[in-house]
PDB file of all heavy atoms in Angstrom:
ATOM      1  N   LEU C   1     115.366 101.910  84.539  1.00 82.00           N
ATOM      2  CA  LEU C   1     115.499 100.556  85.073  1.00 82.00           C
ATOM      3  C   LEU C   1     114.982 100.486  86.509  1.00 82.00           C
ATOM      4  O   LEU C   1     114.290  99.533  86.887  1.00 82.00           O
ATOM      5  CB  LEU C   1     116.955 100.104  85.017  1.00 82.00           C
ATOM      6  CG  LEU C   1     117.560  99.890  83.628  1.00 82.00           C
ATOM      7  CD1 LEU C   1     119.034  99.586  83.735  1.00 82.00           C
ATOM      8  CD2 LEU C   1     116.837  98.768  82.893  1.00 82.00           C
ATOM      9  N   ALA C   2     115.307 101.499  87.312  1.00 81.00           N
ATOM     10  CA  ALA C   2     114.862 101.503  88.708  1.00 81.00           C
ATOM     11  C   ALA C   2     113.344 101.570  88.805  1.00 81.00           C
ATOM     12  O   ALA C   2     112.743 100.994  89.724  1.00 81.00           O
ATOM     13  CB  ALA C   2     115.491 102.685  89.447  1.00 81.00           C
ATOM     14  N   LEU C   3     112.698 102.255  87.850  1.00 83.00           N
ATOM     15  CA  LEU C   3     111.238 102.330  87.851  1.00 83.00           C
ATOM     16  C   LEU C   3     110.613 100.944  87.763  1.00 83.00           C
ATOM     17  O   LEU C   3     109.731 100.593  88.560  1.00 83.00           O
ATOM     18  CB  LEU C   3     110.768 103.200  86.686  1.00 83.00           C
ATOM     19  CG  LEU C   3     109.266 103.185  86.391  1.00 83.00           C
ATOM     20  CD1 LEU C   3     108.483 103.774  87.559  1.00 83.00           C
ATOM     21  CD2 LEU C   3     108.959 103.932  85.099  1.00 83.00           C
ATOM     22  N   PHE C   4     111.065 100.141  86.818  1.00 82.00           N
ATOM     23  CA  PHE C   4     110.459  98.821  86.619  1.00 82.00           C
ATOM     24  C   PHE C   4     110.941  97.809  87.651  1.00 82.00           C
ATOM     25  O   PHE C   4     110.227  96.840  87.927  1.00 82.00           O
ATOM     26  CB  PHE C   4     110.742  98.328  85.201  1.00 82.00           C
ATOM     27  CG  PHE C   4     109.983  99.080  84.156  1.00 82.00           C
ATOM     28  CD1 PHE C   4     110.594 100.113  83.452  1.00 82.00           C
ATOM     29  CD2 PHE C   4     108.656  98.798  83.898  1.00 82.00           C
ATOM     30  CE1 PHE C   4     109.892 100.821  82.494  1.00 82.00           C
ATOM     31  CE2 PHE C   4     107.948  99.500  82.951  1.00 82.00           C
ATOM     32  CZ  PHE C   4     108.562 100.525  82.248  1.00 82.00           C
ATOM     33  N   VAL C   5     112.127  98.024  88.219  1.00 80.00           N
ATOM     34  CA  VAL C   5     112.548  97.171  89.335  1.00 80.00           C
ATOM     35  C   VAL C   5     111.621  97.388  90.521  1.00 80.00           C
ATOM     36  O   VAL C   5     111.195  96.440  91.196  1.00 80.00           O
ATOM     37  CB  VAL C   5     114.014  97.464  89.716  1.00 80.00           C
ATOM     38  CG1 VAL C   5     114.366  96.790  91.042  1.00 80.00           C
ATOM     39  CG2 VAL C   5     114.952  96.970  88.624  1.00 80.00           C
ATOM     40  N   GLY C   6     111.259  98.662  90.771  1.00 81.00           N
ATOM     41  CA  GLY C   6     110.335  98.950  91.858  1.00 81.00           C
ATOM     42  C   GLY C   6     108.929  98.448  91.583  1.00 81.00           C
ATOM     43  O   GLY C   6     108.260  97.918  92.480  1.00 81.00           O
ATOM     44  N   LEU C   7     108.477  98.601  90.332  1.00 82.00           N
ATOM     45  CA  LEU C   7     107.127  98.124  90.001  1.00 82.00           C
ATOM     46  C   LEU C   7     107.032  96.606  90.059  1.00 82.00           C
ATOM     47  O   LEU C   7     105.963  96.058  90.358  1.00 82.00           O
ATOM     48  CB  LEU C   7     106.741  98.615  88.600  1.00 82.00           C
ATOM     49  CG  LEU C   7     106.551 100.127  88.442  1.00 82.00           C
ATOM     50  CD1 LEU C   7     106.266 100.481  86.986  1.00 82.00           C
ATOM     51  CD2 LEU C   7     105.419 100.619  89.333  1.00 82.00           C
ATOM     52  N   ALA C   8     108.129  95.913  89.758  1.00 78.00           N
ATOM     53  CA  ALA C   8     108.134  94.445  89.810  1.00 78.00           C
ATOM     54  C   ALA C   8     108.420  93.913  91.204  1.00 78.00           C
ATOM     55  O   ALA C   8     108.369  92.690  91.412  1.00 78.00           O
ATOM     56  CB  ALA C   8     109.172  93.903  88.830  1.00 78.00           C
ATOM     57  N   HIS C   9     108.722  94.825  92.158  1.00 79.00           N
ATOM     58  CA  HIS C   9     109.014  94.434  93.553  1.00 79.00           C
ATOM     59  C   HIS C   9     110.174  93.440  93.599  1.00 79.00           C
ATOM     60  O   HIS C   9     110.113  92.413  94.303  1.00 79.00           O
ATOM     61  CB  HIS C   9     107.779  93.848  94.227  1.00 79.00           C
ATOM     62  CG  HIS C   9     106.595  94.768  94.220  1.00 79.00           C
ATOM     63  ND1 HIS C   9     106.523  95.929  94.967  1.00 79.00           N
ATOM     64  CD2 HIS C   9     105.432  94.705  93.507  1.00 79.00           C
ATOM     65  CE1 HIS C   9     105.366  96.532  94.741  1.00 79.00           C
ATOM     66  NE2 HIS C   9     104.684  95.819  93.852  1.00 79.00           N
ATOM     67  N   LEU C  10     111.224  93.736  92.853  1.00 75.00           N
ATOM     68  CA  LEU C  10     112.408  92.884  92.852  1.00 75.00           C
ATOM     69  C   LEU C  10     113.416  93.395  93.878  1.00 75.00           C
ATOM     70  O   LEU C  10     113.443  94.576  94.217  1.00 75.00           O
ATOM     71  CB  LEU C  10     113.056  92.861  91.467  1.00 75.00           C
ATOM     72  CG  LEU C  10     112.214  92.309  90.312  1.00 75.00           C
ATOM     73  CD1 LEU C  10     112.985  92.432  88.996  1.00 75.00           C
ATOM     74  CD2 LEU C  10     111.840  90.859  90.563  1.00 75.00           C
ATOM     75  N   GLU C  11     114.238  92.485  94.360  1.00 76.00           N
ATOM     76  CA  GLU C  11     115.321  92.887  95.234  1.00 76.00           C
ATOM     77  C   GLU C  11     116.374  93.651  94.443  1.00 76.00           C
ATOM     78  O   GLU C  11     116.528  93.458  93.239  1.00 76.00           O
ATOM     79  CB  GLU C  11     115.950  91.659  95.892  1.00 76.00           C
ATOM     80  CG  GLU C  11     114.997  90.895  96.802  1.00 76.00           C
ATOM     81  CD  GLU C  11     115.687  89.721  97.461  1.00 76.00           C
ATOM     82  OE1 GLU C  11     116.893  89.506  97.164  1.00 76.00           O
ATOM     83  OE2 GLU C  11     115.034  89.026  98.248  1.00 76.00           O
ATOM     84  N   LYS C  12     117.090  94.533  95.119  1.00 74.00           N
ATOM     85  CA  LYS C  12     118.101  95.326  94.446  1.00 74.00           C
ATOM     86  C   LYS C  12     119.177  94.415  93.859  1.00 74.00           C
ATOM     87  O   LYS C  12     119.812  93.650  94.597  1.00 74.00           O
ATOM     88  CB  LYS C  12     118.726  96.323  95.421  1.00 74.00           C
ATOM     89  CG  LYS C  12     119.683  97.290  94.738  1.00 74.00           C
ATOM     90  CD  LYS C  12     120.218  98.308  95.725  1.00 74.00           C
ATOM     91  CE  LYS C  12     121.175  99.286  95.035  1.00 74.00           C
ATOM     92  NZ  LYS C  12     121.709 100.289  95.989  1.00 74.00           N
ATOM     93  N   PRO C  13     119.384  94.451  92.547  1.00 71.00           N
ATOM     94  CA  PRO C  13     120.362  93.547  91.936  1.00 71.00           C
ATOM     95  C   PRO C  13     121.794  93.999  92.213  1.00 71.00           C
ATOM     96  O   PRO C  13     122.048  95.152  92.581  1.00 71.00           O
ATOM     97  CB  PRO C  13     120.032  93.625  90.436  1.00 71.00           C
ATOM     98  CG  PRO C  13     119.456  94.989  90.263  1.00 71.00           C
ATOM     99  CD  PRO C  13     118.719  95.301  91.548  1.00 71.00           C
ATOM    100  N   GLN C  14     122.725  93.073  92.031  1.00 72.00           N
ATOM    101  CA  GLN C  14     124.129  93.404  92.204  1.00 72.00           C
ATOM    102  C   GLN C  14     124.615  94.351  91.116  1.00 72.00           C
ATOM    103  O   GLN C  14     125.499  95.162  91.327  1.00 72.00           O
ATOM    104  CB  GLN C  14     124.965  92.115  92.198  1.00 72.00           C
ATOM    105  CG  GLN C  14     124.630  91.158  93.331  1.00 72.00           C
ATOM    106  CD  GLN C  14     124.971  91.741  94.693  1.00 72.00           C
ATOM    107  OE1 GLN C  14     125.921  92.526  94.821  1.00 72.00           O
ATOM    108  NE2 GLN C  14     124.204  91.370  95.716  1.00 72.00           N
ATOM    109  N   GLY C  15     124.058  94.232  89.918  1.00 68.00           N
ATOM    110  CA  GLY C  15     124.432  95.074  88.795  1.00 68.00           C
ATOM    111  C   GLY C  15     123.372  95.015  87.714  1.00 68.00           C
ATOM    112  O   GLY C  15     122.435  94.201  87.783  1.00 68.00           O
ATOM    113  N   PRO C  16     123.482  95.854  86.699  1.00 65.00           N
ATOM    114  CA  PRO C  16     122.468  95.851  85.629  1.00 65.00           C
ATOM    115  C   PRO C  16     122.361  94.521  84.904  1.00 65.00           C
ATOM    116  O   PRO C  16     121.283  94.156  84.435  1.00 65.00           O
ATOM    117  CB  PRO C  16     122.959  96.963  84.687  1.00 65.00           C
ATOM    118  CG  PRO C  16     123.824  97.845  85.536  1.00 65.00           C
ATOM    119  CD  PRO C  16     124.477  96.920  86.508  1.00 65.00           C
ATOM    120  N   ARG C  17     123.468  93.775  84.791  1.00 70.00           N
ATOM    121  CA  ARG C  17     123.437  92.509  84.058  1.00 70.00           C
ATOM    122  C   ARG C  17     122.598  91.453  84.765  1.00 70.00           C
ATOM    123  O   ARG C  17     122.217  90.454  84.163  1.00 70.00           O
ATOM    124  CB  ARG C  17     124.858  91.990  83.847  1.00 70.00           C
ATOM    125  CG  ARG C  17     125.719  92.911  82.988  1.00 70.00           C
ATOM    126  CD  ARG C  17     127.139  92.377  82.857  1.00 70.00           C
ATOM    127  NE  ARG C  17     127.987  93.303  82.129  1.00 70.00           N
ATOM    128  CZ  ARG C  17     128.102  93.306  80.809  1.00 70.00           C
ATOM    129  NH1 ARG C  17     127.433  92.412  80.099  1.00 70.00           N
ATOM    130  NH2 ARG C  17     128.884  94.175  80.201  1.00 70.00           N
ATOM    131  N   ASP C  18     122.337  91.642  86.055  1.00 73.00           N
ATOM    132  CA  ASP C  18     121.529  90.677  86.800  1.00 73.00           C
ATOM    133  C   ASP C  18     120.034  90.919  86.631  1.00 73.00           C
ATOM    134  O   ASP C  18     119.222  90.136  87.155  1.00 73.00           O
ATOM    135  CB  ASP C  18     121.885  90.745  88.298  1.00 73.00           C
ATOM    136  CG  ASP C  18     123.345  90.392  88.545  1.00 73.00           C
ATOM    137  OD1 ASP C  18     123.884  89.570  87.778  1.00 73.00           O
ATOM    138  OD2 ASP C  18     123.931  90.948  89.496  1.00 73.00           O
ATOM    139  N   LEU C  19     119.648  91.976  85.932  1.00 79.00           N
ATOM    140  CA  LEU C  19     118.232  92.272  85.749  1.00 79.00           C
ATOM    141  C   LEU C  19     117.601  91.326  84.738  1.00 79.00           C
ATOM    142  O   LEU C  19     118.223  90.988  83.724  1.00 79.00           O
ATOM    143  CB  LEU C  19     118.061  93.721  85.273  1.00 79.00           C
ATOM    144  CG  LEU C  19     118.442  94.811  86.264  1.00 79.00           C
ATOM    145  CD1 LEU C  19     118.416  96.175  85.579  1.00 79.00           C
ATOM    146  CD2 LEU C  19     117.506  94.795  87.456  1.00 79.00           C
ATOM    147  N   PRO C  20     116.366  90.907  84.952  1.00 79.00           N
ATOM    148  CA  PRO C  20     115.681  90.062  83.957  1.00 79.00           C
ATOM    149  C   PRO C  20     115.223  90.880  82.761  1.00 79.00           C
ATOM    150  O   PRO C  20     115.094  92.108  82.826  1.00 79.00           O
ATOM    151  CB  PRO C  20     114.485  89.501  84.744  1.00 79.00           C
ATOM    152  CG  PRO C  20     114.218  90.526  85.801  1.00 79.00           C
ATOM    153  CD  PRO C  20     115.553  91.101  86.166  1.00 79.00           C
ATOM    154  N   LEU C  21     114.963  90.185  81.664  1.00 78.00           N
ATOM    155  CA  LEU C  21     114.535  90.868  80.446  1.00 78.00           C
ATOM    156  C   LEU C  21     113.200  91.579  80.628  1.00 78.00           C
ATOM    157  O   LEU C  21     112.950  92.590  79.968  1.00 78.00           O
ATOM    158  CB  LEU C  21     114.436  89.866  79.293  1.00 78.00           C
ATOM    159  CG  LEU C  21     115.755  89.469  78.616  1.00 78.00           C
ATOM    160  CD1 LEU C  21     115.505  88.404  77.564  1.00 78.00           C
ATOM    161  CD2 LEU C  21     116.436  90.679  77.989  1.00 78.00           C
ATOM    162  N   ARG C  22     112.324  91.077  81.490  1.00 82.00           N
ATOM    163  CA  ARG C  22     111.030  91.725  81.680  1.00 82.00           C
ATOM    164  C   ARG C  22     111.161  93.086  82.333  1.00 82.00           C
ATOM    165  O   ARG C  22     110.210  93.882  82.301  1.00 82.00           O
ATOM    166  CB  ARG C  22     110.109  90.824  82.515  1.00 82.00           C
ATOM    167  CG  ARG C  22     110.580  90.576  83.940  1.00 82.00           C
ATOM    168  CD  ARG C  22     109.735  89.512  84.610  1.00 82.00           C
ATOM    169  NE  ARG C  22     110.169  89.223  85.971  1.00 82.00           N
ATOM    170  CZ  ARG C  22     109.618  89.744  87.050  1.00 82.00           C
ATOM    171  NH1 ARG C  22     108.591  90.578  86.930  1.00 82.00           N
ATOM    172  NH2 ARG C  22     110.046  89.422  88.249  1.00 82.00           N
ATOM    173  N   VAL C  23     112.326  93.393  82.888  1.00 83.00           N
ATOM    174  CA  VAL C  23     112.611  94.723  83.415  1.00 83.00           C
ATOM    175  C   VAL C  23     113.408  95.539  82.413  1.00 83.00           C
ATOM    176  O   VAL C  23     113.164  96.747  82.237  1.00 83.00           O
ATOM    177  CB  VAL C  23     113.362  94.611  84.755  1.00 83.00           C
ATOM    178  CG1 VAL C  23     113.894  95.967  85.203  1.00 83.00           C
ATOM    179  CG2 VAL C  23     112.460  94.015  85.820  1.00 83.00           C
ATOM    180  N   VAL C  24     114.353  94.901  81.732  1.00 84.00           N
ATOM    181  CA  VAL C  24     115.233  95.629  80.814  1.00 84.00           C
ATOM    182  C   VAL C  24     114.462  96.129  79.587  1.00 84.00           C
ATOM    183  O   VAL C  24     114.658  97.275  79.152  1.00 84.00           O
ATOM    184  CB  VAL C  24     116.405  94.734  80.381  1.00 84.00           C
ATOM    185  CG1 VAL C  24     117.274  95.441  79.341  1.00 84.00           C
ATOM    186  CG2 VAL C  24     117.246  94.343  81.589  1.00 84.00           C
ATOM    187  N   ILE C  25     113.581  95.293  79.032  1.00 85.00           N
ATOM    188  CA  ILE C  25     112.900  95.660  77.781  1.00 85.00           C
ATOM    189  C   ILE C  25     112.017  96.897  77.952  1.00 85.00           C
ATOM    190  O   ILE C  25     112.145  97.853  77.180  1.00 85.00           O
ATOM    191  CB  ILE C  25     112.102  94.463  77.234  1.00 85.00           C
ATOM    192  CG1 ILE C  25     113.067  93.355  76.801  1.00 85.00           C
ATOM    193  CG2 ILE C  25     111.230  94.888  76.054  1.00 85.00           C
ATOM    194  CD1 ILE C  25     112.384  92.090  76.329  1.00 85.00           C
ATOM    195  N   PRO C  26     111.090  96.965  78.922  1.00 86.00           N
ATOM    196  CA  PRO C  26     110.281  98.205  79.045  1.00 86.00           C
ATOM    197  C   PRO C  26     111.119  99.419  79.417  1.00 86.00           C
ATOM    198  O   PRO C  26     110.826 100.538  78.972  1.00 86.00           O
ATOM    199  CB  PRO C  26     109.260  97.863  80.133  1.00 86.00           C
ATOM    200  CG  PRO C  26     109.845  96.717  80.881  1.00 86.00           C
ATOM    201  CD  PRO C  26     110.630  95.937  79.884  1.00 86.00           C
ATOM    202  N   GLY C  27     112.178  99.234  80.224  1.00 87.00           N
ATOM    203  CA  GLY C  27     113.049 100.365  80.514  1.00 87.00           C
ATOM    204  C   GLY C  27     113.752 100.875  79.271  1.00 87.00           C
ATOM    205  O   GLY C  27     113.891 102.085  79.064  1.00 87.00           O
ATOM    206  N   PHE C  28     114.186  99.959  78.423  1.00 88.00           N
ATOM    207  CA  PHE C  28     114.830 100.344  77.163  1.00 88.00           C
ATOM    208  C   PHE C  28     113.843 101.073  76.256  1.00 88.00           C
ATOM    209  O   PHE C  28     114.203 102.080  75.607  1.00 88.00           O
ATOM    210  CB  PHE C  28     115.357  99.084  76.470  1.00 88.00           C
ATOM    211  CG  PHE C  28     115.814  99.294  75.060  1.00 88.00           C
ATOM    212  CD1 PHE C  28     116.998  99.948  74.791  1.00 88.00           C
ATOM    213  CD2 PHE C  28     115.051  98.840  73.997  1.00 88.00           C
ATOM    214  CE1 PHE C  28     117.422 100.141  73.482  1.00 88.00           C
ATOM    215  CE2 PHE C  28     115.464  99.031  72.692  1.00 88.00           C
ATOM    216  CZ  PHE C  28     116.656  99.686  72.434  1.00 88.00           C
ATOM    217  N   ILE C  29     112.602 100.628  76.207  1.00 88.00           N
ATOM    218  CA  ILE C  29     111.611 101.240  75.315  1.00 88.00           C
ATOM    219  C   ILE C  29     111.341 102.686  75.716  1.00 88.00           C
ATOM    220  O   ILE C  29     111.341 103.597  74.877  1.00 88.00           O
ATOM    221  CB  ILE C  29     110.309 100.410  75.311  1.00 88.00           C
ATOM    222  CG1 ILE C  29     110.555  99.055  74.664  1.00 88.00           C
ATOM    223  CG2 ILE C  29     109.207 101.148  74.558  1.00 88.00           C
ATOM    224  CD1 ILE C  29     109.381  98.108  74.788  1.00 88.00           C
ATOM    225  N   ILE C  30     111.090 102.938  76.998  1.00 90.00           N
ATOM    226  CA  ILE C  30     110.773 104.311  77.390  1.00 90.00           C
ATOM    227  C   ILE C  30     112.003 105.218  77.271  1.00 90.00           C
ATOM    228  O   ILE C  30     111.873 106.419  77.025  1.00 90.00           O
ATOM    229  CB  ILE C  30     110.175 104.368  78.814  1.00 90.00           C
ATOM    230  CG1 ILE C  30     111.174 103.879  79.856  1.00 90.00           C
ATOM    231  CG2 ILE C  30     108.895 103.554  78.880  1.00 90.00           C
ATOM    232  CD1 ILE C  30     110.666 104.058  81.287  1.00 90.00           C
ATOM    233  N   SER C  31     113.200 104.642  77.418  1.00 89.00           N
ATOM    234  CA  SER C  31     114.406 105.439  77.192  1.00 89.00           C
ATOM    235  C   SER C  31     114.523 105.833  75.727  1.00 89.00           C
ATOM    236  O   SER C  31     114.874 106.982  75.401  1.00 89.00           O
ATOM    237  CB  SER C  31     115.645 104.660  77.636  1.00 89.00           C
ATOM    238  OG  SER C  31     115.677 104.480  79.036  1.00 89.00           O
ATOM    239  N   GLU C  32     114.224 104.899  74.827  1.00 88.00           N
ATOM    240  CA  GLU C  32     114.280 105.193  73.401  1.00 88.00           C
ATOM    241  C   GLU C  32     113.219 106.222  73.009  1.00 88.00           C
ATOM    242  O   GLU C  32     113.479 107.102  72.186  1.00 88.00           O
ATOM    243  CB  GLU C  32     114.085 103.903  72.603  1.00 88.00           C
ATOM    244  CG  GLU C  32     115.257 102.947  72.687  1.00 88.00           C
ATOM    245  CD  GLU C  32     116.508 103.521  72.045  1.00 88.00           C
ATOM    246  OE1 GLU C  32     116.601 103.510  70.807  1.00 88.00           O
ATOM    247  OE2 GLU C  32     117.394 103.984  72.791  1.00 88.00           O
ATOM    248  N   LEU C  33     112.030 106.117  73.590  1.00 89.00           N
ATOM    249  CA  LEU C  33     110.990 107.107  73.303  1.00 89.00           C
ATOM    250  C   LEU C  33     111.408 108.494  73.777  1.00 89.00           C
ATOM    251  O   LEU C  33     111.195 109.493  73.077  1.00 89.00           O
ATOM    252  CB  LEU C  33     109.677 106.687  73.978  1.00 89.00           C
ATOM    253  CG  LEU C  33     108.977 105.456  73.393  1.00 89.00           C
ATOM    254  CD1 LEU C  33     107.783 105.076  74.250  1.00 89.00           C
ATOM    255  CD2 LEU C  33     108.519 105.722  71.964  1.00 89.00           C
ATOM    256  N   ARG C  34     112.007 108.565  74.947  1.00 90.00           N
ATOM    257  CA  ARG C  34     112.453 109.864  75.468  1.00 90.00           C
ATOM    258  C   ARG C  34     113.501 110.482  74.548  1.00 90.00           C
ATOM    259  O   ARG C  34     113.411 111.656  74.173  1.00 90.00           O
ATOM    260  CB  ARG C  34     113.023 109.675  76.879  1.00 90.00           C
ATOM    261  CG  ARG C  34     113.568 110.948  77.501  1.00 90.00           C
ATOM    262  CD  ARG C  34     114.245 110.639  78.833  1.00 90.00           C
ATOM    263  NE  ARG C  34     115.373 109.740  78.658  1.00 90.00           N
ATOM    264  CZ  ARG C  34     116.614 110.141  78.360  1.00 90.00           C
ATOM    265  NH1 ARG C  34     116.867 111.434  78.204  1.00 90.00           N
ATOM    266  NH2 ARG C  34     117.582 109.276  78.225  1.00 90.00           N
TER     267      ARG C  34
END
């Protein structure tokens, strides 16, 4: 999640639930592949 937050240049969220789907989905995909 931190990888795509940094690539999207987003401010540090208060928690994981505040992340947008455009960050959560690719993070979930690479986690599943790993």
Side-chain angles (χ1 to χ4, degrees):
L1 293 174
L3 170 64
F4 289 98
V5 169
L7 293 176
H9 303 290
L10 298 177
E11 297 182 358
K12 186 177 180 180
Q14 298 295 329
R17 297 178 184 273
D18 299 328
L19 293 172
L21 281 176
R22 64 189 179 98
V23 170
V24 176
I25 293 176
F28 169 74
I29 293 172
I30 63 174
S31 292
E32 289 295 282
L33 290 174
R34 178 186 62 86

